[in-house]
Amino acid sequence: MLVDVGAPPLPVVVPVSAVNASWFPRPYTPPPLPSPMDVAVQSVVDGAVISWTRAALQGVLTLVEIAPDVSGEPGAWTRAALTEESSHQLTLPAASRWVRLRTVLHGRTSAYTTPVLASRVVAPTQAEVQQAQDTADHADSLTQPGSGVQLGDQRNLMPVTVASTRSLWDGLTLSATFDTGSPATVTLSASAATLRVGSATVSYAASSTNVTQARDTTARYYGYYLDEAWQGGDRTLNVTTNVATLADTDGVVWVGEFVVVIGASGGGSGSGGVGGGGGRPPGTFEDLIQ
C-alpha cells in the first residue's frame, strides 16, 4: 500500500570540500645561547689569563679554544678547557696563541666570540739576571733578599734624610700630671702638632693616656703613635718604658719622651720633655716633670 503524505522532495546535498592540512606539529626552536661577553687577556710570565663574563644561565659552561698564529691569522683550533669559571690561565709556548670562547649548555652551543691574540711575558733566565746585575749601576742592583732592594750608597736618598733632620715636630708640647694616690695615677699628654717630614707634613690631634707609678720613683716614658699609612688625625697615645719598642714596629711615629719624678706624697704637674720624630735620638736632653 502506498501512502502519500505530501512531503516535499529531499534537498540536494552538496559534498563537503576537503581541506588539506599537515598533521605534523611545528617543532619549537629555542632562542640562540648568548656568547661570553667582555673577553679580556692579561699577559703573565710564561702564559696569559683569559677572563670573561659568563652567560647568566644556570649550569652554563664556557669552552675555551686556542689556535696558533699563522701570519696574523688563527690556524687550526684545538680545545683548551671547558670550565664553569669565568677565567682561565693558559700556559703558552714561546709563540702567541689565538683564543676564542663559546657558551655550552645541555649540549647546545653559542656562536664563537671574536678571536683575540694572547701573548706571554717571557721570564728572564738566571744568566740574563746575573748579567744585568753585573753591568748595571750598583745603585740599581736587586740583591737583598729581605727588602728586595739594596742602595748603592746613601746619595740615592733625599738629602734631608741623610744629611739633615729627617723629621721634627712643629707645635708639640708634652706635659704630665699625677694625683695624690699611692701608687699615683699619671696622665701623660701631647698637644696637637704637625710632624714635618721634608716637603711633606702630617698633622695629629691632641692625645693623652694614663699610667700608674709608685711613690718615691723616677720613670722615663716613651710616647708614640701607630700610623703606618701616614693618616694623622686622632691617634692613641701609646707609652712604654722600653725604648726598643720604638723600633719594633714599622708604623711607629715617636711622639716624645717623658721623665716623671714622684715624691713620697702629694700630686704634681709639669711640662717639657724630649720631642720625638726623627730629628733627635732619645736622651738628647730631658726636663724633669715633678
Side-chain angles (χ1 to χ4, degrees), residues 12-107:
V12 177
V13 177
V14 179
V16 178
S17 300
V19 178
N20 295 324
S22 173
W23 61 269
F24 190 78
R26 179 177 297 175
Y28 170 73
T29 302
L33 289 176
S35 301
M37 301 289 291
D38 305 321
V39 180
V41 177
Q42 179 183 2
S43 298
V44 296
V45 174
D46 294 333
V49 176
I50 316 300
S51 60
W52 60 90
T53 301
R54 299 188 308 155
L57 299 170
Q58 186 175 4
V60 72
L61 300 173
T62 302
L63 175 65
V64 182
E65 293 185 356
I66 60 174
D69 181 53
V70 180
S71 301
E73 296 293 334
W77 290 98
T78 58
R79 172 172 163 170
L82 181 63
T83 176
E84 60 183 10
E85 305 297 331
S86 57
S87 65
H88 178 70
Q89 181 163 346
L90 295 174
T91 300
L92 295 177
S96 301
R97 287 291 183 269
W98 288 93
V99 179
R100 67 181 183 181
L101 313 176
R102 73 190 313 181
T103 299
V104 178
L105 180 64
H106 304 320

Side-chain angles (χ1 to χ4, degrees), residues 197-219:
V197 189
S199 59
T201 59
V202 183
S203 296
Y204 293 86
S207 58
S208 63
T209 190
N210 293 330
V211 296
T212 58
Q213 183 174 330
R215 288 287 166 176
D216 278 329
T217 60
T218 299

